Short mmCIF file of all heavy atoms in Angstrom, two decimals:
data_model
loop_
_atom_site.label_atom_id
_atom_site.label_comp_id
_atom_site.label_asym_id
_atom_site.label_seq_id
_atom_site.Cartn_x
_atom_site.Cartn_y
_atom_site.Cartn_z
N GLY A 55 -51.59 98.99 -36.69
CA GLY A 55 -52.69 99.64 -35.82
C GLY A 55 -52.19 99.59 -34.32
O GLY A 55 -52.71 100.41 -33.53
N ILE A 56 -51.64 98.54 -33.90
CA ILE A 56 -51.37 98.30 -32.54
C ILE A 56 -49.93 99.04 -32.16
O ILE A 56 -49.96 99.74 -31.13
CB ILE A 56 -51.17 96.64 -32.24
CG1 ILE A 56 -52.50 96.11 -32.47
CG2 ILE A 56 -50.56 96.56 -30.85
CD1 ILE A 56 -52.42 94.51 -32.30
N PHE A 57 -49.11 98.82 -33.03
CA PHE A 57 -47.71 99.50 -32.69
C PHE A 57 -47.36 100.71 -33.31
O PHE A 57 -46.33 101.34 -33.00
CB PHE A 57 -46.64 98.28 -32.93
CG PHE A 57 -46.82 97.06 -32.14
CD1 PHE A 57 -47.27 95.88 -32.94
CD2 PHE A 57 -46.55 96.91 -30.84
CE1 PHE A 57 -47.44 94.68 -32.37
CE2 PHE A 57 -46.67 95.71 -30.18
CZ PHE A 57 -47.27 94.64 -30.85
N GLY A 58 -48.11 101.04 -34.42
CA GLY A 58 -47.68 102.26 -35.11
C GLY A 58 -46.56 102.14 -36.00
O GLY A 58 -45.76 101.13 -35.99
N LYS A 59 -46.23 103.27 -36.78
CA LYS A 59 -45.12 103.16 -37.63
C LYS A 59 -44.08 104.14 -37.05
O LYS A 59 -44.26 105.30 -36.97
CB LYS A 59 -45.46 103.66 -39.11
CG LYS A 59 -46.45 102.74 -39.82
CD LYS A 59 -46.61 103.23 -41.23
CE LYS A 59 -47.54 102.18 -41.99
NZ LYS A 59 -47.79 102.58 -43.48
N ASN A 60 -42.97 103.51 -36.73
CA ASN A 60 -41.92 104.23 -36.11
C ASN A 60 -40.47 103.59 -36.58
O ASN A 60 -40.52 102.73 -37.38
CB ASN A 60 -42.03 104.27 -34.58
CG ASN A 60 -42.31 102.90 -34.02
OD1 ASN A 60 -41.68 101.97 -34.17
ND2 ASN A 60 -43.39 102.84 -33.21
N ASP A 61 -39.52 104.04 -35.86
CA ASP A 61 -38.21 103.57 -36.21
C ASP A 61 -38.03 102.02 -35.94
O ASP A 61 -37.16 101.29 -36.64
CB ASP A 61 -37.15 104.23 -35.43
CG ASP A 61 -37.00 105.74 -35.94
OD1 ASP A 61 -37.52 106.08 -37.04
OD2 ASP A 61 -36.61 106.60 -35.10
N LYS A 62 -38.86 101.53 -35.00
CA LYS A 62 -38.60 100.17 -34.70
C LYS A 62 -39.50 99.15 -35.47
O LYS A 62 -39.29 97.98 -35.58
CB LYS A 62 -39.00 99.93 -33.11
CG LYS A 62 -38.08 100.55 -32.14
CD LYS A 62 -38.47 100.38 -30.73
CE LYS A 62 -37.54 100.97 -29.72
NZ LYS A 62 -37.84 100.64 -28.21
N THR A 63 -40.53 99.68 -36.20
CA THR A 63 -41.54 98.89 -36.90
C THR A 63 -41.48 99.15 -38.36
O THR A 63 -41.94 98.33 -39.12
CB THR A 63 -42.91 99.17 -36.30
OG1 THR A 63 -43.34 100.54 -36.55
CG2 THR A 63 -43.03 98.83 -34.93
N LYS A 64 -40.76 100.05 -38.74
CA LYS A 64 -40.77 100.46 -40.28
C LYS A 64 -40.05 99.45 -41.11
O LYS A 64 -40.38 99.34 -42.42
CB LYS A 64 -40.13 101.84 -40.44
CG LYS A 64 -38.70 101.97 -40.21
CD LYS A 64 -38.08 103.31 -40.36
CE LYS A 64 -36.63 103.50 -40.02
NZ LYS A 64 -36.10 104.79 -40.39
N ASP A 65 -39.05 98.67 -40.60
CA ASP A 65 -38.27 97.75 -41.43
C ASP A 65 -38.68 96.25 -41.28
O ASP A 65 -38.05 95.44 -41.74
CB ASP A 65 -36.76 97.93 -41.02
CG ASP A 65 -36.20 99.21 -41.43
OD1 ASP A 65 -36.76 99.90 -42.37
OD2 ASP A 65 -35.34 99.81 -40.63
N VAL A 66 -39.83 96.01 -40.61
CA VAL A 66 -40.19 94.70 -40.49
C VAL A 66 -40.63 94.16 -41.75
O VAL A 66 -41.27 94.73 -42.54
CB VAL A 66 -41.30 94.45 -39.31
CG1 VAL A 66 -40.73 94.90 -37.94
CG2 VAL A 66 -42.47 95.27 -39.71
N GLN A 67 -40.43 92.79 -41.94
CA GLN A 67 -40.82 92.15 -43.21
C GLN A 67 -42.09 91.27 -42.97
O GLN A 67 -42.10 90.47 -42.07
CB GLN A 67 -39.64 91.23 -43.68
CG GLN A 67 -38.34 92.00 -43.99
CD GLN A 67 -38.50 93.03 -45.06
OE1 GLN A 67 -39.32 92.75 -46.10
NE2 GLN A 67 -37.96 94.21 -45.08
N PHE A 68 -43.03 91.35 -44.04
CA PHE A 68 -44.31 90.55 -43.87
C PHE A 68 -44.11 89.47 -44.90
O PHE A 68 -43.40 89.51 -45.86
CB PHE A 68 -45.49 91.39 -44.09
CG PHE A 68 -45.66 92.49 -43.13
CD1 PHE A 68 -45.10 93.73 -43.28
CD2 PHE A 68 -46.54 92.28 -42.02
CE1 PHE A 68 -45.33 94.76 -42.24
CE2 PHE A 68 -46.76 93.28 -41.14
CZ PHE A 68 -46.03 94.47 -41.27
N SER A 69 -44.78 88.23 -44.53
CA SER A 69 -44.74 87.03 -45.43
C SER A 69 -46.01 86.36 -45.39
O SER A 69 -46.88 86.80 -44.75
CB SER A 69 -43.74 86.24 -44.96
OG SER A 69 -43.82 85.66 -43.62
N SER A 70 -46.22 85.32 -46.15
CA SER A 70 -47.35 84.57 -46.33
C SER A 70 -47.13 83.21 -45.74
O SER A 70 -46.03 82.72 -45.61
CB SER A 70 -47.96 84.46 -47.74
OG SER A 70 -46.98 83.98 -48.51
N GLY A 71 -48.32 82.45 -45.61
CA GLY A 71 -48.09 80.94 -45.17
C GLY A 71 -47.73 80.81 -43.62
O GLY A 71 -47.28 79.72 -43.32
N LEU A 72 -47.98 81.81 -42.80
CA LEU A 72 -47.55 81.53 -41.45
C LEU A 72 -48.56 80.89 -40.62
O LEU A 72 -49.86 80.98 -40.91
CB LEU A 72 -47.20 82.93 -40.74
CG LEU A 72 -46.18 83.89 -41.47
CD1 LEU A 72 -45.91 85.20 -40.68
CD2 LEU A 72 -44.85 83.07 -41.33
N ASP A 73 -48.26 80.19 -39.58
CA ASP A 73 -49.13 79.55 -38.81
C ASP A 73 -48.40 79.38 -37.35
O ASP A 73 -47.26 79.27 -37.42
CB ASP A 73 -49.79 78.20 -39.42
CG ASP A 73 -51.19 77.87 -38.74
OD1 ASP A 73 -51.39 78.47 -37.69
OD2 ASP A 73 -51.85 77.03 -39.30
N TYR A 74 -49.17 78.91 -36.31
CA TYR A 74 -48.64 78.56 -35.02
C TYR A 74 -48.09 77.21 -35.17
O TYR A 74 -48.42 76.51 -36.04
CB TYR A 74 -49.73 78.60 -33.90
CG TYR A 74 -50.50 79.86 -33.81
CD1 TYR A 74 -51.78 80.02 -34.13
CD2 TYR A 74 -49.69 81.00 -33.46
CE1 TYR A 74 -52.41 81.31 -34.01
CE2 TYR A 74 -50.41 82.23 -33.36
CZ TYR A 74 -51.68 82.35 -33.52
OH TYR A 74 -52.35 83.48 -33.50
N ASP A 75 -47.01 76.94 -34.43
CA ASP A 75 -46.30 75.69 -34.61
C ASP A 75 -47.27 74.49 -34.27
O ASP A 75 -47.87 74.58 -33.03
CB ASP A 75 -45.09 75.65 -33.57
CG ASP A 75 -44.11 76.67 -33.95
OD1 ASP A 75 -44.02 77.02 -35.16
OD2 ASP A 75 -43.27 77.30 -33.11
N LYS A 76 -47.37 73.57 -35.08
CA LYS A 76 -48.29 72.41 -34.85
C LYS A 76 -47.61 71.18 -35.30
O LYS A 76 -48.18 70.34 -35.99
CB LYS A 76 -49.60 72.68 -35.69
CG LYS A 76 -50.52 73.68 -35.09
CD LYS A 76 -51.75 73.73 -35.91
CE LYS A 76 -52.69 74.86 -35.26
NZ LYS A 76 -54.01 74.94 -35.95
N GLY A 77 -46.42 71.04 -34.85
CA GLY A 77 -45.71 69.76 -35.13
C GLY A 77 -45.44 69.53 -36.56
O GLY A 77 -44.77 70.46 -37.24
N LYS A 78 -45.93 68.41 -37.09
CA LYS A 78 -45.74 68.12 -38.61
C LYS A 78 -46.70 68.80 -39.41
O LYS A 78 -46.59 68.62 -40.71
CB LYS A 78 -45.65 66.64 -38.72
CG LYS A 78 -44.56 65.90 -38.01
CD LYS A 78 -44.59 64.39 -38.22
CE LYS A 78 -43.55 63.60 -37.51
NZ LYS A 78 -43.72 62.25 -37.71
N GLN A 79 -47.61 69.45 -39.01
CA GLN A 79 -48.67 70.10 -39.84
C GLN A 79 -48.06 71.26 -40.54
O GLN A 79 -47.51 72.19 -39.88
CB GLN A 79 -49.85 70.47 -39.02
CG GLN A 79 -50.89 71.08 -39.95
CD GLN A 79 -52.24 71.41 -39.02
OE1 GLN A 79 -52.47 70.86 -37.95
NE2 GLN A 79 -53.03 72.22 -39.60
N LYS A 80 -48.08 71.34 -41.86
CA LYS A 80 -47.42 72.36 -42.66
C LYS A 80 -48.34 73.30 -43.19
O LYS A 80 -47.97 74.53 -43.56
CB LYS A 80 -46.49 71.83 -43.67
CG LYS A 80 -45.31 70.96 -43.06
CD LYS A 80 -44.52 70.33 -44.22
CE LYS A 80 -43.29 69.55 -43.81
NZ LYS A 80 -42.56 69.00 -44.68
#
Side-chain angles (χ1 to χ4, degrees):
I56 295 175
F57 301 104
K59 291 187 177 181
N60 49 53
D61 295 337
K62 295 182 178 181
T63 61
K64 64 180 181 179
D65 295 329
V66 297
Q67 299 294 322
F68 297 88
S69 60
S70 59
L72 297 181
D73 204 346
Y74 305 116
D75 296 334
K76 292 187 177 180
K78 297 181 180 179
Q79 183 175 345
K80 297 181 179 180

